[in-house]
Amino acid sequence: MILCVRFHRYHHEGERGIEAALPALLGLIEDLSPVVQALPPDSALVDVRGAERYFGQDAAQIAAVLRVRALAHVGAGCAIGAAAGPMLARMAAHQAAPGTTLTVPDEERAVAEFLGPLPVAALPGVGAATARTLRSYGLGTVGRAAAVPLSTLQRVAGVRMGREVYEKAHGIDRTTVVPNASARSLAAERAFPHDELDQVRHRSALLSITEELGGRMRGEGQVCRSLTLTVRYADRSTTTRARTLREPTAHSAALIGAAYRIHDSLGLQRARVRALSLRAEGLTPAERATRQLTFDPVDDRARRVEAVADRARARFGAKAVVPGTLAVRRLASAVTRSHRETGR
């Protein structure tokens, strides 16, 4: 069986969220099964067929052990889906309530009963346009799509997409769990104390995140090739955008500029944002990366200041040196709290 584990924070400590804790959570999973595929920002696929034979437990029992370990070691709860393939496991995880395991038995009737009532848009790979087309022909649920011949779906949705919808609607899954290295990415998250509309606070959070990621990468002698921003909203839905950098870097100024551009492209002027997380992907050793030389004295000066700040943080702590914008905001927040406590 395959497990899809979706983590969520029960006890949020500090500013680190699930995405930042994902590598530690993956380590807990690997203690039970080495076949683990990370699905950032908050999920993972686990092939537990070998673990079932080794431990003499079924998938639901292994899922229960995993849930206890995640809560005890990281303070994270999880919703788990169990099925014969990755696709059904992921869909089951999205339907499972927090703290529970939803198992889809490897039987044709059970698969049909699980998939049938779901909207056709719930099938992985079926986008909004395809779902809209299918609904216009009365095929709005997976069950209805599964009830029509393959040739009909291909006439409606196209040859390739029609076959894809047909196979997925019948629970046919050709994917496998592909183990990947969680160390090839770093992530950090900032959660707001309340649903945040203020764009200035969004950018301050992004500045704090990129400073953290840049410092961690430079400390480990790594650079990243791309950034992925995940925005979590008040209704728990998320939006994810990725951007490839012009050159691999760990330079904070370059990371901040890229993060701001991704954020601006989302148009979040009226969005109620609960948390922002940023993931640096495609990590490679800094000595293997090439950098375009410039004659910009400002950039050279910024890199020298950055190196000095890194040494100060390494010696005196992460908060020894912070960007001026963040320092001013933290001071203002401290003054506001003081006034509230003293009643002035």
Side-chain angles (χ1 to χ4, degrees), residues 161-226:
M161 181 55 69
R163 177 171 291 279
E164 188 173 339
V165 172
Y166 179 84
E167 291 185 348
K168 291 179 177 179
H170 286 84
I172 300 173
D173 184 11
R174 305 186 189 279
T175 62
T176 59
V177 179
V178 181
N180 51 18
S182 59
R184 290 189 61 81
S185 68
L186 288 175
E189 180 176 304
R190 296 294 183 271
F192 297 107
H194 53 78
D195 300 333
E196 188 58 71
L197 291 163
D198 190 345
Q199 299 288 297
V200 175
R201 293 184 181 275
H202 293 177
R203 292 174 76 90
S204 293
L206 283 177
L207 176 59
S208 175
I209 292 171
T210 50
E211 282 288 332
E212 177 184 332
L213 287 180
R216 289 167 63 187
M217 283 190 286
R218 293 190 297 272
E220 297 175 9
Q222 295 181 312
V223 293
C224 70
R225 298 181 181 276
S226 64

Side-chain angles (χ1 to χ4, degrees), residues 6 19 40-42 189 206 227-243 259 262-268 271-279:
R6 296 188 66 207
E19 185 165 8
D42 61 359
E189 180 176 304
L206 283 177
L227 290 178
T228 299
L229 174 65
T230 301
V231 182
R232 188 166 72 248
Y233 303 104
D235 61 358
R236 296 187 179 181
S237 63
T238 60
T239 298
T240 301
R241 291 287 187 276
R243 177 161 297 191
I262 300 173
H263 178 262
D264 292 342
S265 71
L266 294 175
L268 301 177
R272 295 165 57 205
V273 175
R274 182 163 294 177
L276 296 169
S277 62
L278 195 67
R279 189 168 65 255

Side-chain angles (χ1 to χ4, degrees), residues 3-331:
L3 300 182
C4 179
V5 187
R6 296 188 66 207
F7 296 103
H8 54 88
R9 181 70 76 177
Y10 275 157
H11 304 294
H12 188 90
E13 298 178 1
E15 296 179 313
R16 289 171 61 83
I18 288 298
E19 185 165 8
L22 189 59
L25 292 165
L26 295 176
L28 294 176
I29 298 174
E30 288 173 344
D31 289 341
L32 301 176
S33 172
V35 188
V36 182
Q37 179 180 349
L39 300 175
D42 61 359
S43 303
L45 286 172
V46 195
D47 188 332
V48 296
R49 287 174 293 187
E52 288 178 294
R53 293 191 296 270
Y54 182 83
F55 294 109
Q57 305 287 324
D58 62 22
Q61 291 170 319
I62 293 174
V65 172
L66 176 58
R67 183 178 299 109
V68 172
R69 286 173 60 84
L71 187 58
H73 288 274
V74 187
C78 52
I80 301 177
M87 181 193 76
L88 287 174
R90 294 177 70 169
M91 296 178 71
H94 279 83
Q95 297 296 316
T100 67
T101 298
L102 177 58
T103 302
V104 181
D106 188 15
E107 301 170 0
E108 184 176 347
R109 181 175 179 179
V111 171
E113 289 178 352
F114 170 71
L115 290 176
L118 299 178
V120 72
L123 292 174
V126 177
T130 300
R132 188 163 51 247
T133 299
L134 292 170
R135 285 197 299 268
S136 69
Y137 285 89
L139 305 176
T141 65
V142 177
R144 291 186 177 181
V148 301
L150 170 61
S151 57
T152 301
L153 286 175
Q154 290 181 320
R155 284 197 299 271
V156 170
V159 175
R160 185 190 63 81
M161 181 55 69
R163 177 171 291 279
E164 188 173 339
V165 172
Y166 179 84
E167 291 185 348
K168 291 179 177 179
H170 286 84
I172 300 173
D173 184 11
R174 305 186 189 279
T175 62
T176 59
V177 179
V178 181
N180 51 18
S182 59
R184 290 189 61 81
S185 68
L186 288 175
E189 180 176 304
R190 296 294 183 271
F192 297 107
H194 53 78
D195 300 333
E196 188 58 71
L197 291 163
D198 190 345
Q199 299 288 297
V200 175
R201 293 184 181 275
H202 293 177
R203 292 174 76 90
S204 293
L206 283 177
L207 176 59
S208 175
I209 292 171
T210 50
E211 282 288 332
E212 177 184 332
L213 287 180
R216 289 167 63 187
M217 283 190 286
R218 293 190 297 272
E220 297 175 9
Q222 295 181 312
V223 293
C224 70
R225 298 181 181 276
S226 64
L227 290 178
T228 299
L229 174 65
T230 301
V231 182
R232 188 166 72 248
Y233 303 104
D235 61 358
R236 296 187 179 181
S237 63
T238 60
T239 298
T240 301
R241 291 287 187 276
R243 177 161 297 191
T244 301
L245 304 173
R246 287 184 295 181
E247 62 181 22
T249 186
H251 184 31
S252 290
L255 297 175
I256 292 167
Y260 283 172
R261 287 191 292 272
I262 300 173
H263 178 262
D264 292 342
S265 71
L266 294 175
L268 301 177
Q269 286 81 3
R270 297 185 179 181
R272 295 165 57 205
V273 175
R274 182 163 294 177
L276 296 169
S277 62
L278 195 67
R279 189 168 65 255
E281 299 183 301
L283 298 184
T284 56
E287 64 269 14
R288 296 183 185 177
T290 58
R291 181 169 72 90
Q292 178 65 46
L293 297 178
T294 68
F295 296 98
D296 183 1
V298 175
D299 183 69
D300 291 339
R301 189 161 51 248
R303 290 178 183 272
R304 289 197 299 270
V305 170
E306 188 174 75
V308 173
D310 286 342
R311 290 195 294 271
R313 293 188 186 105
R315 183 172 182 180
F316 301 108
K319 296 183 179 180
V321 181
V322 297
T325 301
L326 293 180
V328 170
R329 182 166 292 280
R330 289 175 181 175
L331 178 60

